[in-house]
Amino acid sequence: MLTDKTVTEHRHILVTSALPYANGPIHIGHMLEYIQTDIWSRFQRYQGNTCYYVCADDAHGTAIMLRAEQEGCSPEQLIAAIKAEHQQDFSDFGIAFDNYHSTHSEENRYYSEFIYKTCRSQGHIVSREITQAFDPQKQLFLADRFIKGTCPKCHTPDQYGDNCEACGATYTPAELIQPRSAISGATPISRNSSHFFFKLSNFTELLQQWIRAGHLQTEIANKLAEWLDAGLQEWDISRDAPYFGFAIPDAPNKFFYVWLDAPIGYMASFKNLCDRTPGLEFDQYWQADSQTELVHFIGKDIINFHGLFWPAMLSCAGFRTPTRVYAHGFLTVNGQKMSKSRGTFIKARTYLNYLNPEYLRYYFAARLSSKVDDLDLNLDDFAQRVNADLVGKVVNIASRCASFISRGYNGRLSASPPIPELLHCFSARQQTIADYYERREFSKVVREVMDLADLANQYIAEQEPWVLVRQVGQEQTVQDICSTGINLFRILMIYLKPIVPNMAADSEDFLQDSLQWQDLDQPLLNHVINPFKPLITRIDRKLIIAMQTEAKSELTKEQQLRG
């Protein structure tokens, strides 16, 4: 059975995050996943492992087609514009993708058709007729989310076709009172259509073994086991025209369902990277007997696709299955679901207009564990924690010591090891911290680092270099104390580098050092540092208020556009 542990031999890892839908902007709820994945991927590279992090826009589906129609452009034009916005947001948050692609690509078309044809040839895909809701005005079949009506249980109006947000009841669209198309307002009619189904139950035994082989968190494996025990249903992998997506081979007016080609987008993005990277081989990472690692980070709401459909399709088509699928919970803000009216539904760009992205990276890390629990972004705690930890503890060490080194010693640190016992105490935590990173226990990483930061600040306070500097004959002592402080700060920044890469880069400029993990035991001796410049500033709570105000104004604009 697989276990989470730090592995000492060189590893080859392909990492993905779930694909954001190309139908709107990235918000801070999305960023929880990409920041978590980016920290883990950066750590793997930091340890010397070969680690590729790929992603793509999920660019198909009815919703894309309808929005493009509303905006008076083609779906291709819409997804290109959205992709550019997404990539800029990710870049500004320091998300270090090796490749960012689109599911509307020739690589994705190829692998979607290949997997489909292979599964069909083995008898795992069947066709049968089903009855669906049909919009007679728009002349298209309606998914449940495009049907609205009055809840048949509590009679709350304007509820979606599969569940009621007021009472939580689940039902079929046919049970809605006065159903209507959410697209045109017309009353849906029933119409028959032939669809293609993937016979997921054929893979029950394979999936029963796979979900218990350590690829999943225990709570996720238990949930999937419940679905397996209840019996797996056939999976509808087709949609009728009109639809924006890939046409199914040999099936006129039929298209692959967006959830068939979305995870295949991982393969397509990596293939695109391989084609542009000499020596990088697609088969090394995707062939059935691959010795590399395939790691997916996803939200808990899509575990059925990644824990059942995806490994079954991959196995059927002769590809490897994932090594790990790590699920996380949702983001709440101030203890509640994100709300546009309260100004807590915050787009990534709205956040970036006011606040340093490293603040959010650090706060998420300080709260993240390996569990599937939801994470709350309490905006008061957010400001207090960033100000107290990053500014008040970590940066404070460098700013207190650097001024003495710059003024009194021309920026040169002591030539002999300053307080080797204290430095060893700090560097000795490296295995513990590495294990926490590997297991995605980022909150424990932060706790360890802040405990060390407290020790460093305590040491400087007890030594009082600001007092000694006024005493004759204490010049070497002051240089040793402050050199020790600078070296302690350096160790802390080595530990924090995957979490706050921009702050780490600025620290590297200040220290004139590359902050490498393997150099934790090698202090900077007789080494010249640059004059200290602020590495990160305190959060001004007025900026948080301004951010929320803009988020509320965006809601007002949306309401005005809807008329």
Side-chain angles (χ1 to χ4, degrees):
M1 177 175 286
L2 296 167
T3 57
D4 284 321
K5 62 181 180 180
T6 301
V7 182
T8 54
E9 64 269 17
H10 186 86
R11 298 159 66 186
H12 294 266
I13 313 168
L14 174 58
V15 182
T16 76
S17 295
L19 312 186
Y21 200 42
N23 192 33
I26 301 296
H27 57 69
I28 59 172
H30 293 126
M31 290 311 307
L32 176 64
E33 178 171 311
Y34 302 101
I35 288 173
Q36 181 186 36
T37 317
D38 184 71
I39 291 172
W40 195 82
S41 300
R42 284 178 182 271
F43 170 73
Q44 297 301 335
R45 299 186 196 108
Y46 205 19
Q47 294 291 288
N49 294 317
T50 299
C51 181
Y52 297 102
Y53 178 18
V54 302
C55 196
D57 261 16
D58 182 2
H60 288 156
T62 302
I64 300 286
M65 179 182 71
L66 293 174
R67 179 172 173 185
E69 181 182 305
Q70 291 171 352
E71 297 194 5
C73 64
S74 69
E76 289 83 0
Q77 289 172 319
L78 173 68
I79 62 175
I82 294 292
K83 181 171 181 274
E85 293 176 7
H86 286 179
Q87 286 184 278
Q88 189 62 58
D89 288 345
F90 288 135
S91 175
D92 289 348
F93 265 99
I95 309 302
F97 296 121
D98 290 284
N99 195 48
Y100 194 85
H101 205 35
S102 170
T103 58
H104 193 64
S105 66
E106 287 308 309
E107 297 95 341
N108 204 34
R109 184 193 302 274
Y110 171 82
Y111 284 109
S112 296
E113 291 184 0
F114 178 85
I115 289 174
Y116 167 78
K117 289 178 179 178
T118 305
C119 293
R120 184 182 63 182
S121 68
Q122 296 176 16
H124 298 303
I125 291 176
V126 295
S127 175
R128 60 184 170 85
E129 195 168 84
I130 61 172
T131 302
Q132 293 177 279
F134 185 80
D135 185 326
Q137 184 171 322
K138 292 292 292 184
Q139 288 292 297
L140 54 77
F141 287 96
L142 296 169
D144 291 352
R145 66 182 180 282
F146 291 122
I147 304 172
K148 284 192 170 184
T150 299
C151 173
K153 305 295 172 63
C154 71
H155 299 281
T156 299
D158 204 35
Q159 297 303 303
Y160 287 103
D162 53 358
N163 71 284
C164 176
E165 292 184 346
C167 71
T170 58
Y171 41 73
T172 65
E175 296 177 90
L176 277 175
I177 300 170
Q178 295 181 321
R180 70 183 189 282
S181 166
I183 301 168
S184 70
T187 300
I189 61 174
S190 295
R191 180 170 291 187
N192 291 345
S193 177
S194 292
H195 274 237
F196 296 98
F197 291 83
F198 180 69
K199 299 176 72 173
L200 189 60
S201 61
N202 289 0
F203 299 88
T204 298
E205 184 176 348
L206 177 147
L207 292 171
Q208 285 174 333
Q209 295 174 1
W210 186 82
I211 68 170
R212 292 303 186 191
H215 303 289
L216 306 159
Q217 294 125 300
T218 301
E219 55 264 59
I220 298 300
N222 290 342
K223 182 63 180 177
L224 294 179
E226 291 177 13
W227 290 337
L228 282 163
D229 291 344
L232 296 174
Q233 304 299 308
E234 292 180 344
W235 179 36
D236 189 345
I237 60 170
S238 60
R239 292 297 183 266
D240 293 280
Y243 191 82
F244 181 59
F246 293 139
I248 297 178
D250 309 317
N253 296 318
K254 301 292 180 182
F255 293 80
F256 288 127
Y257 174 40
V258 62
W259 262 111
L260 180 131
D261 67 59
I264 296 172
Y266 303 142
M267 306 175 78
S269 184
F270 187 65
K271 174 60 174 172
N272 180 261
L273 177 65
C274 291
D275 289 344
R276 295 183 290 104
T277 307
L280 183 58
E281 297 293 333
F282 179 87
D283 288 345
Q284 180 187 3
Y285 286 81
W286 286 99
Q287 64 191 10
D289 59 351
S290 174
Q291 298 303 301
T292 65
E293 300 174 48
L294 174 62
V295 179
H296 300 306
F297 285 77
I298 62 167
K300 64 182 179 181
D301 55 327
I302 54 175
I303 58 170
N304 56 335
F305 295 106
H306 288 79
L308 297 175
F309 304 136
W310 182 227
M313 283 198 307
L314 287 170
S315 178
C316 176
F319 293 108
R320 59 95 45 80
T321 54
T323 312
R324 301 275 197 285
V325 177
Y326 292 134
H328 60 83
F330 300 136
L331 180 72
T332 58
V333 180
N334 291 339
Q336 296 178 305
K337 184 179 179 181
M338 289 193 296
S339 164
K340 292 183 178 180
S341 62
R342 288 191 295 267
T344 56
F345 188 96
I346 301 166
K347 296 176 184 177
R349 184 52 50 186
T350 305
Y351 175 97
L352 290 165
N353 288 341
Y354 295 93
L355 296 169
N356 186 331
E358 304 258 294
Y359 297 156
L360 195 64
R361 289 181 65 102
Y362 177 77
Y363 189 76
F364 281 169
R367 302 295 308 281
L368 274 165
S369 73
S370 61
K371 298 187 181 300
V372 195
D373 301 333
D374 293 346
L375 186 150
D376 185 53
L377 169 59
N378 181 288
L379 291 171
D380 288 335
D381 182 56
F382 165 68
Q384 189 278 330
R385 189 153 195 169
V386 168
N387 291 343
D389 288 2
L390 289 183
V391 182
K393 292 184 180 181
V394 178
V395 174
N396 185 56
I397 300 165
S399 63
R400 293 169 90 182
C401 296
S403 58
F404 292 105
I405 296 294
S406 295
R407 287 199 307 265
Y409 309 93
N410 295 318
R412 187 171 295 277
L413 302 177
S414 296
S416 58
I419 325 297
E421 299 84 5
L422 188 55
L423 291 175
H424 177 72
C425 171
F426 275 52
S427 63
R429 301 280 187 100
Q430 59 184 280
Q431 189 59 54
T432 297
I433 290 173
D435 288 343
Y436 286 149
Y437 266 122
E438 175 65 34
R439 300 202 301 268
R440 305 165 345 278
E441 296 285 359
F442 300 151
S443 61
K444 293 182 178 179
V445 170
V446 168
R447 194 176 309 133
E448 288 282 333
V449 173
M450 291 307 137
D451 285 347
L452 293 175
D454 286 337
L455 289 176
N457 280 295
Q458 180 184 343
Y459 164 76
I460 296 165
E462 290 173 348
Q463 298 301 311
E464 297 183 318
W466 48 87
V467 173
L468 295 176
V469 76
R470 296 194 295 268
Q471 299 176 11
V472 177
Q474 294 297 322
E475 292 84 4
Q476 186 62 55
T477 302
V478 171
Q479 186 185 24
D480 287 348
I481 293 168
C482 294
S483 296
T484 298
I486 293 295
N487 273 284
L488 296 178
F489 165 78
R490 171 179 173 268
I491 292 174
L492 298 180
M493 287 311 304
I494 289 175
Y495 289 149
L496 287 174
K497 188 174 179 179
I499 296 173
V500 283
N502 291 339
M503 183 177 165
D506 290 342
S507 299
E508 288 175 333
D509 290 340
F510 158 60
L511 295 170
Q512 299 201 78
D513 179 70
S514 60
L515 295 180
Q516 296 302 310
W517 192 277
Q518 62 266 27
D519 295 336
L520 277 163
D521 295 312
Q522 301 172 24
L524 302 179
L525 304 175
N526 196 27
H527 176 90
V528 176
I529 61 173
N530 282 321
F532 178 81
K533 296 178 182 178
L535 299 171
I536 198 164
T537 57
R538 294 176 62 83
I539 293 179
D540 184 343
R541 292 173 188 266
K542 292 178 182 177
L543 293 177
I544 294 178
I545 295 171
M547 176 182 69
Q548 291 183 273
T549 300
E550 180 174 323
K552 290 179 182 178
S553 71
E554 290 166 354
L555 171 63
T556 302
K557 291 176 184 176
E558 289 176 11
Q559 292 171 333
Q560 290 172 343
L561 288 172
R562 288 198 297 265

